[in-house]
Amino acid sequence: MPTSPGDGLPPEGGDRRTPPPGHTRRAGLLRRTRRPRRAGSTRRALPGRSAGRAASAGRSRGDLFAGVAGVTALAAVAALTATVPAAAHPGTGQAPPAKTPVATGYGGAVSSVDRDASAAGLEVLKRGGNAADAAVATAAALGVTEPYSAGIGGGGYFVMYDAASRRVHTIDGREKAPLSADKNLLTEDGKAIPFDEAVTSGLGVGTPGTAATWQDALDAYGSKSLREVLRPATKLARDGFTVDETFRQQTADNEDRFRDFPATADLFLPGGEPPKTGSTLKNPDLARTYDLLAERGVDALYKGALGKDIVRTVRAGDMTTKDLRRYRTRFQKPTHTEYRGKDVYGMAPSSSGGTSVSEALNMLERSDLRGMSEQEYLHRYIEASRIAFADRGRWVGDPTQEDVPTEGLLSQRFADARACLIDDSKALTSPVAPGDPRDPQGCDSGDSGQAAPTPYEGENTTHLTVADKWGNVVAYTLTIEQTGGSGIAVPGRGFLLNNELTDFSMVPAQPGVYDPNLPGPGKRPRSSMAPTIVLDDGRPVLALGSPGGATIITTVLQTLTNHLDRGMPLVDAIAAPRASQRNAEQTEAEPGLLDSPVRAGLEKLGHSFKETAEIGAATGVQRLPGGRWRAAAETERRGGGSAMVVHPSRH
């Protein structure tokens, strides 16, 4: 039976951050603002964790739009970023190896969108680290090579399976609104400010949670210090990485926006132009920032000079040093539902990922998806997605400030009441009205007067999955929102700030209908991130997740059903053409689906499609018999992903 999140992790419950003492350092210099409008959890020894390490380490470490980060124009930082011809991979003298989207073997596995990031996680596994250690190392490396998607200027959700206890735990490291925020944060004269203005402005920057997530994950579940797991990423930032075509194109697409911020332009437009494919991009500022975190711990950000630099940079918004000091991650139980005899765990609110994926799975469980034709399967999948999005829009927000009926959204009773709306002979018309999970009755068609469209969410983000030789597994999705976040780099620090507050509803999605996702003081904006772990008899079957804004939910749902129901190997389930219905008039779909014969049949049922080049960029790991792991990633999306294992095997 489905269960809901509750108390129990860690012993003190709720928000938590226990980094080491802070450090004072000369502050960096200000950047130009484009639009200055507004002013200890009890440590448990997991397999692969040394309990004695924790105390000593505490003393030693003190979705596709626009954006990019930078260095200070004032602090003689223009010379800190360099691109040099790179026929060889930095430091090796050899041509960089091609990405491999699937790998099978022993000793643990890592899958991410980037080869260097996966290698960083693998290095930590080879040195005896566990899944939590390797996940943080991989995430830190993504902050170097995928700075438009991730980094310490953002936030995310960390889901971990503990092999010793056979339990799944989660950390909500989502960004928060300033304590001064109210429901009118993103309005002017009672109207929503233009979305693009909110994105490229300090007004959209939330208090970042990524660094706190890293520290808390290591304290609670890791075996290495922050200093140790940051080493691969620090070296990568200092030595540089090879620019691929995806990175070059993302930079070129956002060149005009980046030029508005000197620090951003200095970092990502070296010589005044986007870096060339095959060149090496270095970020010594970020290397020094990682060194600072390694030496002084995350208090350097939440209580020290690094945080002061962030606040000065966000001068068009309302963030203060108090917001940073008061930031806490939130430990909570995962969402859980049973699906075809397996246990599916995900991220509870403030993310809508866990509840929406679970609700859709509960609706689909009564269907024989394996025995259906491709058209019948896609029709059911699209309709379940449509209904789940109608319900998430009405009910899901930050549970610390909203009464979110999580248990009801996860219940089979509610799913059954909603699934009866699905008609195999015709498609539903969006927007579908939400049901009431608090007291589902019969066939719950909702109140037609309550229907509301799904607001836009930025489509960037990144996801990584890790498993270790002890059987621990991590699914971790992190983001700075748009490609390049706010477009604002912290001068001299080498990373971008998020625009996560634009994930709030600027005004109610439907006038007169209550919206649980309006801004509030210290409130987390609703997310669609859906890091997911599936267990069978208490042991992991697979873990996966994806970037893609609101399409994350549908990507995870489609990949799960492709693999668990349709019998596709995990790498094929990830690569299969995608469709994404989010309670909208049209269903977004990739060319591989729209160019297939199934399209005509779906359109006869009333489905309407809108073509999009690609949806998501998933990664996953799968447990195989005999202690083996299989890592899987995209074969083509975002230039393909990188799957690695510690000891490869042929089978």
Side-chain angles (χ1 to χ4, degrees), residues 600-640:
L602 290 169
E603 288 179 334
K604 286 182 180 179
L605 295 177
H607 292 282
S608 176
F609 294 100
K610 175 184 178 182
E611 183 171 329
T612 186
E614 63 180 32
I615 298 172
T619 72
V621 296
Q622 177 185 7
R623 181 176 60 87
L624 300 175
R628 291 176 302 149
W629 291 99
R630 176 164 293 150
E634 297 287 354
T635 57
E636 295 184 7
R637 296 181 185 95
R638 283 205 193 178

mmCIF file of all heavy atoms in Angstrom, residues 600-640:
data_model
loop_
_atom_site.group_PDB
_atom_site.id
_atom_site.type_symbol
_atom_site.label_atom_id
_atom_site.label_comp_id
_atom_site.label_asym_id
_atom_site.label_seq_id
_atom_site.Cartn_x
_atom_site.Cartn_y
_atom_site.Cartn_z
ATOM 1 N N ALA A 600 -0.843 8.719 -36.266
ATOM 2 C CA ALA A 600 -2.162 8.853 -36.898
ATOM 3 C C ALA A 600 -3.247 8.228 -36.031
ATOM 4 O O ALA A 600 -4.344 8.789 -35.883
ATOM 5 C CB ALA A 600 -2.148 8.199 -38.280
ATOM 6 N N GLY A 601 -2.954 7.082 -35.441
ATOM 7 C CA GLY A 601 -3.934 6.443 -34.585
ATOM 8 C C GLY A 601 -4.251 7.260 -33.352
ATOM 9 O O GLY A 601 -5.417 7.353 -32.928
ATOM 10 N N LEU A 602 -3.241 7.863 -32.754
ATOM 11 C CA LEU A 602 -3.461 8.700 -31.577
ATOM 12 C C LEU A 602 -4.242 9.959 -31.936
ATOM 13 O O LEU A 602 -5.105 10.410 -31.174
ATOM 14 C CB LEU A 602 -2.121 9.065 -30.940
ATOM 15 C CG LEU A 602 -1.377 7.912 -30.250
ATOM 16 C CD1 LEU A 602 0.046 8.321 -29.890
ATOM 17 C CD2 LEU A 602 -2.126 7.448 -29.001
ATOM 18 N N GLU A 603 -3.963 10.529 -33.102
ATOM 19 C CA GLU A 603 -4.696 11.724 -33.510
ATOM 20 C C GLU A 603 -6.167 11.403 -33.780
ATOM 21 O O GLU A 603 -7.049 12.250 -33.546
ATOM 22 C CB GLU A 603 -4.035 12.339 -34.738
ATOM 23 C CG GLU A 603 -2.707 13.015 -34.398
ATOM 24 C CD GLU A 603 -2.016 13.622 -35.598
ATOM 25 O OE1 GLU A 603 -2.254 13.141 -36.728
ATOM 26 O OE2 GLU A 603 -1.217 14.572 -35.413
ATOM 27 N N LYS A 604 -6.463 10.209 -34.234
ATOM 28 C CA LYS A 604 -7.856 9.812 -34.425
ATOM 29 C C LYS A 604 -8.609 9.763 -33.093
ATOM 30 O O LYS A 604 -9.833 9.944 -33.053
ATOM 31 C CB LYS A 604 -7.931 8.455 -35.111
ATOM 32 C CG LYS A 604 -7.595 8.491 -36.597
ATOM 33 C CD LYS A 604 -7.724 7.114 -37.227
ATOM 34 C CE LYS A 604 -7.391 7.166 -38.710
ATOM 35 N NZ LYS A 604 -7.487 5.815 -39.337
ATOM 36 N N LEU A 605 -7.857 9.515 -32.000
ATOM 37 C CA LEU A 605 -8.470 9.509 -30.669
ATOM 38 C C LEU A 605 -8.643 10.920 -30.116
ATOM 39 O O LEU A 605 -9.217 11.092 -29.040
ATOM 40 C CB LEU A 605 -7.615 8.686 -29.703
ATOM 41 C CG LEU A 605 -7.485 7.189 -29.996
ATOM 42 C CD1 LEU A 605 -6.535 6.538 -28.987
ATOM 43 C CD2 LEU A 605 -8.844 6.510 -29.968
ATOM 44 N N GLY A 606 -8.121 11.913 -30.818
ATOM 45 C CA GLY A 606 -8.267 13.294 -30.368
ATOM 46 C C GLY A 606 -7.001 13.911 -29.815
ATOM 47 O O GLY A 606 -7.018 15.066 -29.365
ATOM 48 N N HIS A 607 -5.897 13.179 -29.832
ATOM 49 C CA HIS A 607 -4.634 13.743 -29.358
ATOM 50 C C HIS A 607 -4.093 14.742 -30.373
ATOM 51 O O HIS A 607 -4.181 14.523 -31.584
ATOM 52 C CB HIS A 607 -3.604 12.637 -29.130
ATOM 53 C CG HIS A 607 -3.926 11.719 -27.999
ATOM 54 N ND1 HIS A 607 -3.724 12.054 -26.686
ATOM 55 C CD2 HIS A 607 -4.465 10.470 -27.999
ATOM 56 C CE1 HIS A 607 -4.107 11.048 -25.909
ATOM 57 N NE2 HIS A 607 -4.566 10.081 -26.684
ATOM 58 N N SER A 608 -3.538 15.826 -29.869
ATOM 59 C CA SER A 608 -2.903 16.839 -30.707
ATOM 60 C C SER A 608 -1.462 16.986 -30.250
ATOM 61 O O SER A 608 -1.187 17.042 -29.042
ATOM 62 C CB SER A 608 -3.633 18.177 -30.570
ATOM 63 O OG SER A 608 -2.980 19.188 -31.312
ATOM 64 N N PHE A 609 -0.534 17.043 -31.201
ATOM 65 C CA PHE A 609 0.884 17.011 -30.861
ATOM 66 C C PHE A 609 1.609 18.284 -31.298
ATOM 67 O O PHE A 609 1.254 18.929 -32.279
ATOM 68 C CB PHE A 609 1.562 15.802 -31.519
ATOM 69 C CG PHE A 609 1.079 14.492 -30.977
ATOM 70 C CD1 PHE A 609 0.133 13.750 -31.675
ATOM 71 C CD2 PHE A 609 1.544 14.007 -29.771
ATOM 72 C CE1 PHE A 609 -0.328 12.539 -31.175
ATOM 73 C CE2 PHE A 609 1.098 12.807 -29.261
ATOM 74 C CZ PHE A 609 0.154 12.071 -29.967
ATOM 75 N N LYS A 610 2.644 18.589 -30.526
ATOM 76 C CA LYS A 610 3.552 19.685 -30.824
ATOM 77 C C LYS A 610 4.960 19.115 -30.834
ATOM 78 O O LYS A 610 5.408 18.541 -29.836
ATOM 79 C CB LYS A 610 3.429 20.782 -29.760
ATOM 80 C CG LYS A 610 4.417 21.923 -29.911
ATOM 81 C CD LYS A 610 4.268 22.908 -28.753
ATOM 82 C CE LYS A 610 5.267 24.042 -28.843
ATOM 83 N NZ LYS A 610 5.147 24.979 -27.688
ATOM 84 N N GLU A 611 5.655 19.270 -31.946
ATOM 85 C CA GLU A 611 6.984 18.660 -32.057
ATOM 86 C C GLU A 611 8.018 19.442 -31.260
ATOM 87 O O GLU A 611 8.024 20.670 -31.238
ATOM 88 C CB GLU A 611 7.417 18.585 -33.518
ATOM 89 C CG GLU A 611 8.753 17.888 -33.710
ATOM 90 C CD GLU A 611 9.078 17.613 -35.160
ATOM 91 O OE1 GLU A 611 8.137 17.400 -35.956
ATOM 92 O OE2 GLU A 611 10.279 17.606 -35.503
ATOM 93 N N THR A 612 8.891 18.714 -30.587
ATOM 94 C CA THR A 612 10.020 19.300 -29.884
ATOM 95 C C THR A 612 11.230 18.428 -30.152
ATOM 96 O O THR A 612 11.105 17.202 -30.294
ATOM 97 C CB THR A 612 9.749 19.419 -28.374
ATOM 98 O OG1 THR A 612 10.819 20.113 -27.744
ATOM 99 C CG2 THR A 612 9.595 18.052 -27.716
ATOM 100 N N ALA A 613 12.404 19.031 -30.245
ATOM 101 C CA ALA A 613 13.596 18.297 -30.680
ATOM 102 C C ALA A 613 13.954 17.164 -29.737
ATOM 103 O O ALA A 613 14.261 16.048 -30.167
ATOM 104 C CB ALA A 613 14.772 19.256 -30.828
ATOM 105 N N GLU A 614 13.935 17.443 -28.435
ATOM 106 C CA GLU A 614 14.257 16.397 -27.475
ATOM 107 C C GLU A 614 13.638 16.718 -26.129
ATOM 108 O O GLU A 614 13.397 17.877 -25.790
ATOM 109 C CB GLU A 614 15.766 16.191 -27.332
ATOM 110 C CG GLU A 614 16.530 17.370 -26.788
ATOM 111 C CD GLU A 614 18.029 17.104 -26.666
ATOM 112 O OE1 GLU A 614 18.563 16.341 -27.494
ATOM 113 O OE2 GLU A 614 18.650 17.659 -25.747
ATOM 114 N N ILE A 615 13.367 15.665 -25.366
ATOM 115 C CA ILE A 615 12.750 15.782 -24.050
ATOM 116 C C ILE A 615 13.631 15.058 -23.046
ATOM 117 O O ILE A 615 13.848 13.851 -23.149
ATOM 118 C CB ILE A 615 11.333 15.179 -24.040
ATOM 119 C CG1 ILE A 615 10.407 15.936 -25.005
ATOM 120 C CG2 ILE A 615 10.750 15.185 -22.629
ATOM 121 C CD1 ILE A 615 9.049 15.289 -25.196
ATOM 122 N N GLY A 616 14.163 15.803 -22.079
ATOM 123 C CA GLY A 616 14.931 15.202 -21.000
ATOM 124 C C GLY A 616 16.297 14.698 -21.411
ATOM 125 O O GLY A 616 16.730 14.811 -22.565
ATOM 126 N N ALA A 617 17.000 14.126 -20.442
ATOM 127 C CA ALA A 617 18.321 13.520 -20.648
ATOM 128 C C ALA A 617 18.576 12.603 -19.458
ATOM 129 O O ALA A 617 19.317 12.940 -18.540
ATOM 130 C CB ALA A 617 19.411 14.579 -20.772
ATOM 131 N N ALA A 618 17.955 11.438 -19.468
ATOM 132 C CA ALA A 618 17.911 10.565 -18.299
ATOM 133 C C ALA A 618 19.211 9.799 -18.088
ATOM 134 O O ALA A 618 19.981 9.554 -19.026
ATOM 135 C CB ALA A 618 16.749 9.587 -18.424
ATOM 136 N N THR A 619 19.452 9.422 -16.850
ATOM 137 C CA THR A 619 20.503 8.469 -16.505
ATOM 138 C C THR A 619 19.939 7.493 -15.487
ATOM 139 O O THR A 619 18.997 7.811 -14.757
ATOM 140 C CB THR A 619 21.753 9.137 -15.904
ATOM 141 O OG1 THR A 619 21.466 9.587 -14.577
ATOM 142 C CG2 THR A 619 22.222 10.309 -16.751
ATOM 143 N N GLY A 620 20.540 6.302 -15.428
ATOM 144 C CA GLY A 620 20.068 5.311 -14.467
ATOM 145 C C GLY A 620 21.119 4.268 -14.168
ATOM 146 O O GLY A 620 22.123 4.139 -14.876
ATOM 147 N N VAL A 621 20.901 3.524 -13.106
ATOM 148 C CA VAL A 621 21.696 2.337 -12.795
ATOM 149 C C VAL A 621 20.734 1.199 -12.483
ATOM 150 O O VAL A 621 19.630 1.414 -11.975
ATOM 151 C CB VAL A 621 22.672 2.544 -11.619
ATOM 152 C CG1 VAL A 621 23.715 3.600 -11.955
ATOM 153 C CG2 VAL A 621 21.936 2.906 -10.336
ATOM 154 N N GLN A 622 21.168 -0.015 -12.790
ATOM 155 C CA GLN A 622 20.334 -1.196 -12.628
ATOM 156 C C GLN A 622 21.155 -2.291 -11.946
ATOM 157 O O GLN A 622 22.314 -2.528 -12.309
ATOM 158 C CB GLN A 622 19.861 -1.673 -14.005
ATOM 159 C CG GLN A 622 19.037 -2.941 -14.012
ATOM 160 C CD GLN A 622 18.722 -3.397 -15.428
ATOM 161 O OE1 GLN A 622 19.234 -2.820 -16.400
ATOM 162 N NE2 GLN A 622 17.893 -4.404 -15.562
ATOM 163 N N ARG A 623 20.560 -2.949 -10.964
ATOM 164 C CA ARG A 623 21.237 -4.074 -10.314
ATOM 165 C C ARG A 623 20.984 -5.346 -11.112
ATOM 166 O O ARG A 623 19.846 -5.657 -11.462
ATOM 167 C CB ARG A 623 20.721 -4.256 -8.878
ATOM 168 C CG ARG A 623 21.391 -5.404 -8.115
ATOM 169 C CD ARG A 623 20.893 -5.469 -6.672
ATOM 170 N NE ARG A 623 19.461 -5.676 -6.598
ATOM 171 C CZ ARG A 623 18.860 -6.877 -6.612
ATOM 172 N NH1 ARG A 623 19.579 -7.971 -6.713
ATOM 173 N NH2 ARG A 623 17.544 -6.968 -6.519
ATOM 174 N N LEU A 624 22.061 -6.078 -11.372
ATOM 175 C CA LEU A 624 21.982 -7.333 -12.109
ATOM 176 C C LEU A 624 22.376 -8.487 -11.194
ATOM 177 O O LEU A 624 22.982 -8.274 -10.132
ATOM 178 C CB LEU A 624 22.918 -7.289 -13.323
ATOM 179 C CG LEU A 624 22.649 -6.182 -14.354
ATOM 180 C CD1 LEU A 624 23.738 -6.198 -15.423
ATOM 181 C CD2 LEU A 624 21.274 -6.346 -14.975
ATOM 182 N N PRO A 625 22.087 -9.715 -11.574
ATOM 183 C CA PRO A 625 22.488 -10.862 -10.746
ATOM 184 C C PRO A 625 24.006 -10.946 -10.590
ATOM 185 O O PRO A 625 24.773 -10.453 -11.425
ATOM 186 C CB PRO A 625 21.949 -12.065 -11.544
ATOM 187 C CG PRO A 625 20.846 -11.512 -12.385
ATOM 188 C CD PRO A 625 21.271 -10.117 -12.735
ATOM 189 N N GLY A 626 24.430 -11.580 -9.519
ATOM 190 C CA GLY A 626 25.852 -11.832 -9.309
ATOM 191 C C GLY A 626 26.659 -10.642 -8.876
ATOM 192 O O GLY A 626 27.881 -10.624 -9.052
ATOM 193 N N GLY A 627 25.999 -9.628 -8.314
ATOM 194 C CA GLY A 627 26.726 -8.471 -7.814
ATOM 195 C C GLY A 627 27.131 -7.472 -8.875
ATOM 196 O O GLY A 627 27.916 -6.556 -8.608
ATOM 197 N N ARG A 628 26.603 -7.619 -10.086
ATOM 198 C CA ARG A 628 26.952 -6.689 -11.149
ATOM 199 C C ARG A 628 25.992 -5.495 -11.161
ATOM 200 O O ARG A 628 24.867 -5.576 -10.691
ATOM 201 C CB ARG A 628 26.895 -7.383 -12.512
ATOM 202 C CG ARG A 628 27.974 -8.426 -12.743
ATOM 203 C CD ARG A 628 27.761 -9.103 -14.085
ATOM 204 N NE ARG A 628 26.440 -9.720 -14.146
ATOM 205 C CZ ARG A 628 25.722 -9.862 -15.260
ATOM 206 N NH1 ARG A 628 26.196 -9.394 -16.410
ATOM 207 N NH2 ARG A 628 24.543 -10.442 -15.231
ATOM 208 N N TRP A 629 26.483 -4.398 -11.749
ATOM 209 C CA TRP A 629 25.670 -3.210 -11.970
ATOM 210 C C TRP A 629 25.709 -2.852 -13.449
ATOM 211 O O TRP A 629 26.713 -3.076 -14.129
ATOM 212 C CB TRP A 629 26.199 -2.017 -11.166
ATOM 213 C CG TRP A 629 26.025 -2.158 -9.697
ATOM 214 C CD1 TRP A 629 26.971 -2.548 -8.802
ATOM 215 C CD2 TRP A 629 24.826 -1.915 -8.960
ATOM 216 N NE1 TRP A 629 26.431 -2.563 -7.532
ATOM 217 C CE2 TRP A 629 25.120 -2.178 -7.598
ATOM 218 C CE3 TRP A 629 23.540 -1.508 -9.299
ATOM 219 C CZ2 TRP A 629 24.182 -2.040 -6.591
ATOM 220 C CZ3 TRP A 629 22.608 -1.369 -8.294
ATOM 221 C CH2 TRP A 629 22.918 -1.627 -6.954
ATOM 222 N N ARG A 630 24.619 -2.287 -13.916
ATOM 223 C CA ARG A 630 24.596 -1.727 -15.263
ATOM 224 C C ARG A 630 24.259 -0.245 -15.155
ATOM 225 O O ARG A 630 23.245 0.128 -14.559
ATOM 226 C CB ARG A 630 23.580 -2.435 -16.146
ATOM 227 C CG ARG A 630 23.449 -1.809 -17.543
ATOM 228 C CD ARG A 630 22.732 -2.758 -18.485
ATOM 229 N NE ARG A 630 23.551 -3.941 -18.732
ATOM 230 C CZ ARG A 630 23.059 -5.150 -19.009
ATOM 231 N NH1 ARG A 630 21.746 -5.330 -19.060
ATOM 232 N NH2 ARG A 630 23.871 -6.159 -19.231
ATOM 233 N N ALA A 631 25.122 0.586 -15.703
ATOM 234 C CA ALA A 631 24.864 2.023 -15.774
ATOM 235 C C ALA A 631 24.387 2.345 -17.174
ATOM 236 O O ALA A 631 24.899 1.795 -18.159
ATOM 237 C CB ALA A 631 26.129 2.809 -15.451
ATOM 238 N N ALA A 632 23.390 3.217 -17.291
ATOM 239 C CA ALA A 632 22.828 3.561 -18.595
ATOM 240 C C ALA A 632 22.580 5.059 -18.672
ATOM 241 O O ALA A 632 22.235 5.696 -17.677
ATOM 242 C CB ALA A 632 21.531 2.791 -18.846
ATOM 243 N N ALA A 633 22.741 5.599 -19.866
ATOM 244 C CA ALA A 633 22.532 7.034 -20.101
ATOM 245 C C ALA A 633 21.992 7.216 -21.512
ATOM 246 O O ALA A 633 21.751 6.252 -22.236
ATOM 247 C CB ALA A 633 23.851 7.789 -19.919
ATOM 248 N N GLU A 634 21.798 8.456 -21.891
ATOM 249 C CA GLU A 634 21.286 8.766 -23.219
ATOM 250 C C GLU A 634 22.279 8.333 -24.304
ATOM 251 O O GLU A 634 23.490 8.453 -24.129
ATOM 252 C CB GLU A 634 21.024 10.267 -23.357
ATOM 253 C CG GLU A 634 19.972 10.821 -22.425
ATOM 254 C CD GLU A 634 18.552 10.410 -22.807
ATOM 255 O OE1 GLU A 634 18.371 9.781 -23.880
ATOM 256 O OE2 GLU A 634 17.628 10.719 -22.033
ATOM 257 N N THR A 635 21.725 7.881 -25.426
ATOM 258 C CA THR A 635 22.568 7.564 -26.573
ATOM 259 C C THR A 635 22.787 8.786 -27.461
ATOM 260 O O THR A 635 23.831 8.898 -28.106
ATOM 261 C CB THR A 635 21.942 6.433 -27.403
ATOM 262 O OG1 THR A 635 20.612 6.829 -27.802
ATOM 263 C CG2 THR A 635 21.867 5.147 -26.591
ATOM 264 N N GLU A 636 21.824 9.720 -27.489
ATOM 265 C CA GLU A 636 21.940 10.885 -28.362
ATOM 266 C C GLU A 636 21.585 12.210 -27.686
ATOM 267 O O GLU A 636 22.230 13.222 -27.957
ATOM 268 C CB GLU A 636 21.050 10.699 -29.598
ATOM 269 C CG GLU A 636 21.485 9.545 -30.502
ATOM 270 C CD GLU A 636 20.640 9.449 -31.754
ATOM 271 O OE1 GLU A 636 19.811 10.357 -31.990
ATOM 272 O OE2 GLU A 636 20.789 8.464 -32.491
ATOM 273 N N ARG A 637 20.545 12.257 -26.861
ATOM 274 C CA ARG A 637 20.098 13.530 -26.289
ATOM 275 C C ARG A 637 21.236 14.214 -25.537
ATOM 276 O O ARG A 637 21.996 13.571 -24.824
ATOM 277 C CB ARG A 637 18.910 13.307 -25.354
ATOM 278 C CG ARG A 637 17.658 12.763 -26.049
ATOM 279 C CD ARG A 637 16.520 12.594 -25.065
ATOM 280 N NE ARG A 637 15.362 11.959 -25.681
ATOM 281 C CZ ARG A 637 15.104 10.645 -25.623
ATOM 282 N NH1 ARG A 637 15.933 9.842 -24.969
ATOM 283 N NH2 ARG A 637 14.034 10.154 -26.208
ATOM 284 N N ARG A 638 21.323 15.523 -25.702
ATOM 285 C CA ARG A 638 22.398 16.336 -25.111
ATOM 286 C C ARG A 638 23.774 15.803 -25.480
ATOM 287 O O ARG A 638 24.722 15.858 -24.696
ATOM 288 C CB ARG A 638 22.260 16.403 -23.582
ATOM 289 C CG ARG A 638 21.197 17.352 -23.098
ATOM 290 C CD ARG A 638 21.527 17.816 -21.688
ATOM 291 N NE ARG A 638 20.399 18.477 -21.074
ATOM 292 C CZ ARG A 638 20.395 18.952 -19.843
ATOM 293 N NH1 ARG A 638 21.467 18.824 -19.080
ATOM 294 N NH2 ARG A 638 19.340 19.548 -19.340
ATOM 295 N N GLY A 639 23.892 15.246 -26.657
ATOM 296 C CA GLY A 639 25.174 14.714 -27.094
ATOM 297 C C GLY A 639 25.512 13.364 -26.513
ATOM 298 O O GLY A 639 26.635 12.877 -26.673
ATOM 299 N N GLY A 640 24.548 12.732 -25.859
ATOM 300 C CA GLY A 640 24.784 11.423 -25.251
ATOM 301 C C GLY A 640 25.325 11.548 -23.844
ATOM 302 O O GLY A 640 25.935 12.555 -23.478
#
